[in-house]
Amino acid sequence: MPSLRQLFLDHLGQTSPTPLMLEIDRAEGSFLYDSNGRDYLDLISGVSVSNTGHRHPAVVAAVKEQADRYLHLMVYGEVIQSPQVRYAEKLASLLPPSLQSVYFVNSGSEAIEGALKLARRHTGKHEIIYFRNAYHGSTTGALSVQGSELYRNAFRPLMPSTTMAEFNSPEASEMITKDTAAVIVEPVQAEAGVIQPEGTFLADLRHACDRHGAMLLFDEVQTGFGRTGSLFSLYRYNVIPDILVLAKALGGGMPLGAFIASREIMSSLAHNPILGHITTFGGHPVCCAAGLASLEVIVEGNLSGNAREKEHLFRQELADMPFREIRGEGLLLAVVPEDKSIIPSLVAQAPAHGLMLDYFLFCDEAFRIAPPLTISPDEIRLACQRLKTLTEAVSFPV
Ligand SMILES: Cc1ncc(COP(=O)(O)O)c(C=O)c1O
């Protein structure tokens, strides 16, 4: 009988020649457990998904309760499904008054597609500006605004009328003209290795968009839901986009994405033609129930504020290790070792030391620390102890 490992290689489409291949049996809080009962402290959160930890009891209860009522009923947008409505209302209550209409989809990429379509449809223009080392997803539209030539080149031709700008460059806002439909930007670039916006960069984009009738799109797929120390980065930088894109932690561990705009802007998708964007499973009731429960945990437990305290504890515990820099705020951190050549070994050997670590897509000088926001101070100390042993093991192999 072939092992699960062998079947995984034989029958699952692979994304790289070197998958992690941990066989996880269950997960709880900040830990994953393999079939032998070994624990792995999760410093990835499934890439900024499990902000309330794995299987938070409130999320599991909401999933069970909704599964007992109904699963899929009808394609998105036709039937009143209380989990969608309640979740949209909650999100609207936590967002600025211009972001009140929530369009639920299944994933971050799909939300990006919807947001780009909405911006083009509403402005009647087609040019999109995006940034170097931006990651917005893997579908063709999202890939067309991805800031890495390596990935784009392999899949040309892509969507036309897209122009790349440099993140944090003052020239970026000067590239916005009357022909620009939208500027799409992660307020904090995640896969670029946690690059924060400097000075008035985001505000300048906002002003230039206003001047030229272009839309500002914020991709908060990774930064949202408290990860960077405020509920959404738009509050941290005090810049309000026309369209906000959310996913990952939005579903509390279930697949869910959303793009959010004013009711007026969003209405563009409902006429000329009607059904301008449609989805069968978008806003699945079980995912919305899970997401709402997770968001309530984040807000009631002030997990975003706590993320800053936890960041400080990480910084304190990592201070005497051979790391040159720790970038980021809250619990989206990029750790830059003095010797970047140890990163592949750090990530590969992390599981043997009871840790889950990850790279960034577009930054080879750092590794990621992005644990569940529910991680406890003791778990942070344990993670840092394990990281210390791991760093010593890869720096001075016997
Ligand atoms: C900033 C950002 N936007 C969009 C996406 C795409 O989300 P998904 O993988 O759910 O399609 C990701 C995924 O990593 C992301 O990090």
Side-chain angles (χ1 to χ4, degrees), residues 20 342-353 355 357 359 390 394:
L20 205 52
I342 67 169
I343 293 175
S345 310
L346 270 183
V347 172
Q349 292 179 36
H353 290 261
L355 279 185
L357 284 186
Y359 306 96
L390 167 64
V394 302

Side-chain angles (χ1 to χ4, degrees), residues 47 106-110 112 135-138 186 190-191 219-223 245 247-248 256 361:
V47 187
N106 300 281
S107 68
S109 301
E110 197 186 339
I112 293 288
Y135 182 76
H136 299 293
S138 255
E186 300 161 84
E191 293 307 318
D219 177 342
E220 291 225 37
V221 167
Q222 286 215 40
T223 55
V245 177
K248 292 199 185 274
L256 192 62
L361 267 179

Side-chain angles (χ1 to χ4, degrees), residues 116-133:
L116 292 175
K117 282 173 67 183
L118 177 59
R120 286 179 152 181
R121 171 73 184 82
H122 192 75
T123 59
K125 303 188 270 185
H126 49 87
E127 286 185 12
I128 310 279
I129 294 176
Y130 64 96
F131 290 91
R132 186 182 300 283
N133 288 339

Side-chain angles (χ1 to χ4, degrees), residues 40-72:
Y40 304 89
L41 231 173
D42 186 1
L43 296 186
I44 312 175
S45 302
V47 187
S48 303
V49 169
S50 315
N51 285 15
T52 49
H54 294 278
R55 289 178 54 247
H56 190 286
V59 175
V60 173
V63 166
K64 287 184 175 161
E65 199 186 316
Q66 183 53 41
D68 279 342
R69 284 171 194 268
Y70 54 84
L71 302 178
H72 178 76

